[in-house]
Amino acid sequence: MTVEHKYGSTTIDAEPKKVVTLGLSDQDAVLALGVKPVGSVDWFKEKPYGKWPWTKDKWGSTPPQIVGERDEYNIEKIAALKPDLIVAQYSGMKKEQYDTLSKIAKVVAQPKEHPDYGAPWQVMTRQIGKALGKGPETEKLITDVDARFKAVRDKHPEWAGKTLTVADSFEAGKYSAFTRTDPKAIFFSELGFTLKPEIDALAKPGWNVAELSAEKLNVLDADRLVWVTSSTEANDRIKAEPLYKKLKVNQEKRDLFVPYQDPDIGAAFSFNTVLSIPYAIDEIEPLLTAVK
């Protein structure tokens, strides 16, 4: 099986038995295809096999070795696992890292037709499925998730004509709006909403977010505004911002404050994988429906 990717192509001669995932959400597709990665990277200090409800049962009692955090890989730990396949789809793997890791095992780097962290979940899932030699199973997974999205769009045709923005605020006075290449924005577009092109225009080249000051918050004014936040304190801080109070989306109560975790709704559509999407749809649909 030959898989094309950002740094060329990789030919895999036999079905991989020991897989290391270096993309931040790659473990989900590997798990969905019946393979438990022996190694994985950490993300936001959350163990990748942690408490996420969509993967907890699939990991069971055999969690992977942590072999890095985000795009910083521990080459020695990876080598010690003796993998026969390394996948890095939702990643920012550099050419130097690819060359080094290729001396350890077969490596399938991120998709070449998309920016780093910008490939649709279907593309990344297919890359992983092809590398694992599980083409038919992969297509069924993708078809099933696409059907879930279609069912929601059919149930809520009113969403099709509405604009939506997704945002976060990690600290006072600073706001982030996610571009169309971000998994969170992709998720809501597949629910039928229209993303605002102004956000993409404000983002730096190659970035998945547009960084905004309070004075720029008007770009978030849309039919729906979804905040993905980490605490009620962050929610209260955003709501108290005088310039935010002036937005129609706030005044008309068309904004949603969705927790990243506990419950893990924001995390589910941030991962936006074949495993997390069904959970995300089940959790977010009633919240969106409640907004008039």
Side-chain angles (χ1 to χ4, degrees), residues 2-11 95 98 107-110 112 127:
T2 299
V3 187
E4 306 284 334
H5 52 75
K6 183 175 180 177
Y7 300 123
S9 63
T10 299
T11 300
K95 179 67 162 62
Y98 172 79
V107 183
V108 177
Q110 54 268 47
K112 62 181 179 180
Q127 291 281 89

Coordinates of all heavy atoms in Angstrom, one line a residue, residues 2-11 95 98 107-110 112 127:
T2 N 0.7 2.1 -1.0 CA 1.5 3.4 -1.0 C 0.6 4.6 -0.7 O -0.5 4.7 -1.3 CB 2.1 3.6 -2.4 OG1 3.0 2.5 -2.7 CG2 2.9 4.9 -2.5
V3 N 1.0 5.4 0.3 CA 0.2 6.5 0.7 C 1.0 7.8 0.4 O 2.2 8.0 0.8 CB 0.0 6.5 2.3 CG1 -1.0 7.6 2.7 CG2 -0.6 5.1 2.6
E4 N 0.4 8.7 -0.3 CA 1.0 10.0 -0.6 C 0.8 11.0 0.5 O -0.2 10.9 1.2 CB 0.3 10.6 -1.9 CG 0.3 9.7 -3.1 CD 1.6 9.6 -3.8 OE1 2.4 10.6 -3.7 OE2 1.9 8.6 -4.4
H5 N 1.8 11.8 0.8 CA 1.7 12.8 1.9 C 2.6 14.0 1.6 O 3.2 14.1 0.6 CB 2.0 12.1 3.2 CG 3.3 11.4 3.3 ND1 4.5 12.0 3.3 CD2 3.6 10.0 3.2 CE1 5.5 11.1 3.3 NE2 5.0 9.9 3.3
K6 N 2.6 14.9 2.6 CA 3.4 16.2 2.4 C 4.8 16.0 2.0 O 5.4 16.8 1.3 CB 3.2 16.9 3.7 CG 3.9 18.3 3.7 CD 3.6 19.1 5.0 CE 4.3 20.5 4.9 NZ 4.0 21.3 6.1
Y7 N 5.5 14.9 2.5 CA 6.9 14.8 2.3 C 7.2 13.6 1.3 O 8.3 13.1 1.3 CB 7.6 14.5 3.6 CG 7.4 15.7 4.6 CD1 6.9 15.5 5.8 CD2 7.7 17.0 4.2 CE1 6.7 16.6 6.7 CE2 7.5 18.1 5.0 CZ 7.0 17.9 6.3 OH 6.8 19.0 7.1
G8 N 6.2 13.3 0.4 CA 6.5 12.3 -0.6 C 5.4 11.2 -0.5 O 4.2 11.4 -0.5
S9 N 5.9 10.0 -0.5 CA 5.0 8.8 -0.4 C 5.7 7.7 0.4 O 6.9 7.6 0.5 CB 4.7 8.3 -1.8 OG 5.8 7.8 -2.5
T10 N 4.9 6.9 1.0 CA 5.4 5.8 1.9 C 4.7 4.5 1.5 O 3.4 4.5 1.4 CB 5.1 6.1 3.4 OG1 5.8 7.3 3.7 CG2 5.6 5.0 4.2
T11 N 5.5 3.5 1.2 CA 4.9 2.2 0.8 C 5.0 1.3 2.0 O 6.0 1.1 2.7 CB 5.7 1.6 -0.4 OG1 5.6 2.5 -1.5 CG2 5.2 0.2 -0.7
K95 N 10.0 18.5 8.1 CA 10.7 17.6 7.3 C 11.8 16.9 8.0 O 12.1 15.7 7.8 CB 11.2 18.4 6.1 CG 12.1 17.5 5.1 CD 11.2 16.5 4.3 CE 11.8 15.9 3.1 NZ 13.1 15.2 3.4
Y98 N 10.4 14.2 10.1 CA 10.0 13.1 9.2 C 11.2 12.2 8.8 O 11.2 11.0 8.8 CB 9.3 13.6 7.9 CG 9.0 12.6 6.9 CD1 8.0 11.7 7.0 CD2 9.9 12.5 5.8 CE1 7.7 10.7 6.0 CE2 9.7 11.5 4.8 CZ 8.6 10.6 4.9 OH 8.4 9.6 4.0
V107 N 6.6 6.1 7.9 CA 5.9 7.3 8.4 C 5.0 7.8 7.3 O 5.3 8.0 6.2 CB 7.0 8.4 8.7 CG1 6.3 9.6 9.3 CG2 8.0 7.9 9.7
V108 N 3.8 8.1 7.8 CA 2.8 8.7 6.9 C 2.5 10.1 7.5 O 1.9 10.3 8.5 CB 1.5 7.9 6.8 CG1 0.4 8.7 6.0 CG2 1.7 6.6 6.2
A109 N 3.1 11.1 6.8 CA 3.0 12.5 7.3 C 1.6 13.1 6.9 O 0.8 12.4 6.3 CB 4.1 13.3 6.7
Q110 N 1.4 14.4 7.2 CA 0.1 15.0 7.0 C -0.2 15.1 5.5 O 0.7 15.1 4.7 CB 0.1 16.4 7.7 CG 1.3 17.4 7.3 CD 2.5 17.3 8.2 OE1 2.9 16.2 8.6 NE2 3.0 18.4 8.6
K112 N -0.9 16.3 1.8 CA -0.1 17.3 1.1 C -1.0 18.4 0.5 O -0.5 19.5 0.3 CB 0.7 16.7 0.0 CG -0.1 16.0 -1.1 CD 0.8 15.3 -2.1 CE 0.1 14.6 -3.2 NZ 0.9 14.0 -4.2
Q127 N -6.4 8.6 4.9 CA -4.9 8.4 5.0 C -4.6 7.3 6.0 O -3.8 6.4 5.7 CB -4.2 9.7 5.3 CG -4.3 10.8 4.3 CD -3.3 10.6 3.1 OE1 -3.6 9.9 2.1 NE2 -2.1 11.1 3.3

